[in-house]
Amino acid sequence: MEEKNLLRCQSDQKSQEIHQLQEELKTAKQFLKETQNYAEEMKKKSLSQEIQLEKKEAEIRDLEGKNQDLTEELEKVQSELQLKQAEIAHLQNLSAAELACLKKEIVNIKAEQKKLQEQLNNSLQENEQLSKEHTSLGEEHTWKTRCPQGYGGSLRKKSVQLSEPHTLCCTVFQYVRLTVTD
């Protein structure tokens, strides 16, 4: 019996060991399952993060492309702005030169106007003088018809020409006494 007890004792011990091992196996399986679940969860998170990372990288590439386009557009606008500024400066220089030229032309026109006014005044005075002479020639004409032999008179056209670009012709008929004899 002792052997039987010993065997039973060993059997109980083995049974306990088996039971303990089964408990450990159950705990290990549960831990393995939890670890697998955690690993699966981490794998899903990792996959999700990879997808988000790919999206972010695509967004970054898109933004870099847009940034490049905007940089090129900015350079183009800056270039156009520089051209416009140069054109404005050129036009300002031309305007200043044209203004100086116009001022000079105004001075020349005023001088020419003054000269023409003087010539006009001279012509008016000459016309007045000629009118007086014409009146006196009318008297001489009466005298000439009475004494046609000693007097010769002719009618001559006189023109006054002014400088370019303005031309003023003032035509005056003047009696000029060519010869008078007693």
Side-chain angles (χ1 to χ4, degrees):
M1 269 239 325
E2 272 190 28
E3 264 186 40
K4 220 179 178 179
N5 274 340
L6 184 63
L7 281 174
R8 190 179 267 196
C9 200
Q10 282 179 348
S11 173
D12 284 343
Q13 235 179 359
K14 292 288 178 187
S15 246
Q16 282 180 352
E17 283 179 15
I18 289 173
H19 183 66
Q20 188 178 356
L21 287 173
Q22 282 177 342
E23 284 295 318
E24 286 178 10
L25 181 61
K26 186 178 176 185
T27 305
K29 281 182 180 182
Q30 188 176 359
F31 180 73
L32 179 62
K33 187 175 181 179
E34 287 175 2
T35 303
Q36 285 175 339
N37 287 343
Y38 180 75
E40 190 67 32
E41 190 178 311
M42 289 297 113
K43 191 176 179 182
K44 286 179 184 178
K45 281 185 181 179
S46 176
L47 183 61
S48 174
Q49 287 175 345
E50 282 182 33
I51 292 170
Q52 287 179 351
L53 180 61
E54 288 175 4
K55 286 181 181 178
K56 294 294 180 186
E57 287 173 345
E59 287 176 13
I60 289 171
R61 283 190 300 273
D62 186 48
L63 289 174
E64 285 173 346
K66 287 179 181 178
N67 188 29
Q68 180 66 29
D69 292 344
L70 290 173
T71 301
E72 290 171 4
E73 184 69 24
L74 178 62
E75 289 171 358
K76 182 180 175 184
V77 168
Q78 286 175 335
S79 176
E80 289 175 1
L81 178 62
Q82 288 174 346
L83 287 174
K84 292 293 182 188
Q85 287 173 336
E87 187 177 333
I88 288 169
H90 178 70
L91 289 174
Q92 286 174 337
N93 289 339
L94 283 178
S95 294
E98 286 177 0
L99 181 61
C101 185
L102 288 174
K103 284 180 179 179
K104 186 177 179 182
E105 191 173 327
I106 287 171
V107 168
N108 290 341
I109 288 171
K110 285 183 179 180
E112 185 69 23
Q113 185 180 19
K114 184 178 178 183
K115 184 179 176 183
L116 290 173
Q117 186 65 41
E118 288 172 4
Q119 288 177 351
L120 179 62
N121 289 339
N122 289 338
S123 294
L124 290 173
Q125 287 175 356
E126 195 174 307
N127 280 342
E128 189 177 318
Q129 181 65 30
L130 290 175
S131 177
K132 287 178 184 177
E133 286 179 19
H134 178 48
T135 304
S136 81
L137 282 178
E139 292 170 4
E140 286 179 30
H141 180 64
T142 304
W143 181 77
K144 179 183 165 191
T145 56
R146 291 185 188 151
C147 300
Q149 294 168 342
Y151 180 86
S154 69
L155 190 63
R156 190 170 78 170
K157 186 177 179 182
K158 183 177 180 184
S159 295
V160 177
Q161 182 91 18
L162 301 178
S163 63
E164 291 296 326
H166 307 286
T167 304
L168 172 65
C169 280
C170 199
T171 305
V172 180
F173 291 99
Q174 177 180 7
Y175 286 103
V176 177
R177 190 181 322 170
L178 296 177
T179 56
V180 176
T181 58
D182 290 322

